[in-house]
Amino acid sequence: VQGVSLSLAEAVSRSAATSPGFSANPAAALFAQLSSLRQAMTEGAGRPQVHLLNGEHPLDFHLIPLLPESPEVSTLYFDSLSQALEYYYAHRDSSNRVRQKSADLDKTLRSILQKLYLKKQRLQEDRLEAENSEKYRLYGELLTANLHCIRPGDDTVTLTNYYDGAPLSIPLDKRLSPAKNAQSYFKKYGKAKTAVREKQLQLEETEEEILYIESVAEFLEAASLPEEVEALRAELAENGFIRKRKADAKAPRARSCPHEYRSPEGLRILAGRNNADNDHLTFRTAGPKDLWFHAKDLAGSHVILFTEGREPSADSLRAAASVAAFYSKGRSSENVPVDYTRVRCVKKPRGARPGRVTFTDHHTLYVTPSIDVSISHKGE
C-alpha cells in the first residue's frame, strides 16, 4: 500500500477497529476500509476539509475525517481541495508566527503569575497572623489588672486568665515598666487590627490582578493571529505589567475584531479576543436587551447573543453558552457552567481592570465547550 500518510493510516485503523469483523480478521477489515476509501476517492465522494484545534489552529486536511471526535477539534469544509490547501497552509504559517511572537509574552505572564501567587500566599499568612491578635489585648488587660503582681525587670509573669481561670504565662520586656508592658501589648493589638484590614485589601487587589493576568494568559493561548498577540502586549503595557516598547507608541490601536458565529436560528454571536475587546463588545457594541454570556468563575471571553428584539430559542442560548465555554479556561472540560443575563444588567466597577464586570439577574447553563464553524466563522 503506497501513498498513505500516518494520519490517514490512523483514521483507517480507527474505522476498521469499529467494524463488525475486525476481531475475527483484522487484515480483512483494514483492506475493506482501504478499498472503500479508494472507491470514494475515485468517485469524487470526498469532501475537502481542514481540522482545527480550538477552532483556530490547522491540524490536518483531507477529503475524509482524519481525527477522532473531540470538543477541542472542529472541522471546516470547502468547495474544493485547492481552497482547503490554501486555507491550511496560510493559517498554519500564521499559527507558527503566533507561536514565535507569543513565546516571550507567555514566559512573562508565567513569571508575573508566579510572583502574584507567592504574594497572595504571604498576604494570607500575614492576615492570619494579624487575626490571631486577640492574645495581645488579653495580655494588656491582665497586666493592667495585676500591675502589683509584677516586679520590674522580670522577663515573664504568670497570671490567672479571668476568662477561663487557667494560668497564663505572659512575656515581658525587662526594659519597660509593668504599665508600659501593658501599653505595648495594647498598641500591638491596635496595629494588628489595622493590619487585618490592610492585608485584606491588599489580598483582594492581588486576587484581582491574578484573575486579570490569568485572563490575558487564556487569550494568549487562544490567539490565532500575530495582531492578537500584539494587542495583548499593548494591553499589558497600558496596565503597567510590562514596559512599553518604542514601536508600540507609533503603532495604531487595534480595532475590536471579535470571533463571530451564528446560532441555529441565525442570530449573531460575538466573542471577545482580549479584555479590551470584551469591554468594547459589552459596553459599546451590544444593546441593553441583548444577552451577555461568560463562563462561571473562569477567565474567558465576553460573549454576546444579539437577540434582534425577540426571545431567542433554547438552542440559541445553548449555542452562545457553548461558545462562551469554549473561549474560557474551561475549554477542555465538560459540562461547564455558563452565566448569562441581559446586557443592561452588566456593570463596569469604577477603576476596574479591562474585562472586569459585575452582573445581576443571571441564569446558568451547563454546556460542553463547542463552536460550530460550519455555520459561520468570521473575523479571520
Side-chain angles (χ1 to χ4, degrees), residues 1-23:
V1 178
Q2 296 179 341
V4 178
S5 67
L6 176 60
S7 55
L8 180 58
E10 290 174 342
V12 170
S13 299
R14 279 194 303 271
S15 298
T18 59
S19 62
F22 180 77
S23 57

Side-chain angles (χ1 to χ4, degrees), residues 39-81:
Q39 183 178 357
M41 299 295 183
T42 302
E43 296 175 355
R47 190 178 181 189
Q49 55 198 269
V50 173
H51 298 306
L52 304 173
L53 176 64
N54 299 330
E56 306 287 352
H57 311 293
L59 293 174
D60 215 331
F61 65 90
H62 213 280
L63 294 173
I64 64 167
L66 293 179
L67 301 176
E69 291 186 4
S70 165
E72 295 183 356
V73 177
S74 53
T75 303
L76 193 60
Y77 296 99
F78 296 86
D79 295 330
S80 70
L81 187 58

Side-chain angles (χ1 to χ4, degrees), residues 85-124:
L85 286 168
E86 183 179 355
Y87 180 95
Y88 174 81
Y89 284 107
H91 286 73
R92 189 186 67 169
D93 291 343
S94 177
S95 295
N96 290 338
R97 292 199 304 273
V98 167
R99 285 195 293 271
Q100 292 170 2
K101 278 185 169 291
S102 64
D104 65 321
L105 192 56
D106 179 65
K107 183 177 179 180
T108 299
L109 289 173
R110 291 177 186 274
S111 176
I112 293 173
L113 276 175
Q114 186 176 6
K115 291 176 182 178
L116 287 173
Y117 291 146
L118 181 60
K119 181 180 179 181
K120 178 181 177 179
Q121 180 183 344
R122 289 175 176 170
L123 285 171
Q124 288 174 328

Side-chain angles (χ1 to χ4, degrees), residues 93-200:
D93 291 343
S94 177
S95 295
N96 290 338
R97 292 199 304 273
V98 167
R99 285 195 293 271
Q100 292 170 2
K101 278 185 169 291
S102 64
D104 65 321
L105 192 56
D106 179 65
K107 183 177 179 180
T108 299
L109 289 173
R110 291 177 186 274
S111 176
I112 293 173
L113 276 175
Q114 186 176 6
K115 291 176 182 178
L116 287 173
Y117 291 146
L118 181 60
K119 181 180 179 181
K120 178 181 177 179
Q121 180 183 344
R122 289 175 176 170
L123 285 171
Q124 288 174 328
E125 292 171 353
D126 292 344
R127 184 186 63 179
L128 181 60
E129 182 179 348
E131 287 173 346
N132 294 330
S133 61
E134 285 296 321
K135 65 180 182 181
Y136 297 138
R137 179 187 61 80
L138 177 59
Y139 289 173
E141 289 181 356
L142 293 179
L143 290 176
T144 300
N146 296 277
L147 291 176
H148 61 285
C149 299
I150 306 169
R151 293 177 301 180
D154 285 348
D155 58 5
T156 185
V157 63
T158 300
L159 302 173
T160 301
N161 184 350
Y162 45 66
Y163 287 105
D164 58 13
L168 181 63
S169 181
I170 302 175
L172 299 173
D173 186 338
K174 295 189 293 185
R175 298 168 299 176
L176 302 178
S177 66
K180 287 192 175 181
N181 266 290
Q183 292 173 9
S184 175
Y185 277 121
F186 283 130
K187 286 181 180 179
K188 283 185 178 181
Y189 174 70
K191 288 181 179 179
K193 284 300 179 186
T194 302
V196 169
R197 294 190 294 271
E198 291 177 349
K199 298 299 179 185
Q200 181 60 34

Side-chain angles (χ1 to χ4, degrees), residues 9 15 58 114 117 151 204 255 269 300 304 336 345 357 367:
S15 298
Q114 186 176 6
Y117 291 146
R151 293 177 301 180
E204 290 173 359
R255 64 183 181 87
I269 299 172
I304 302 296
V336 176
C345 298
V357 298
V367 297

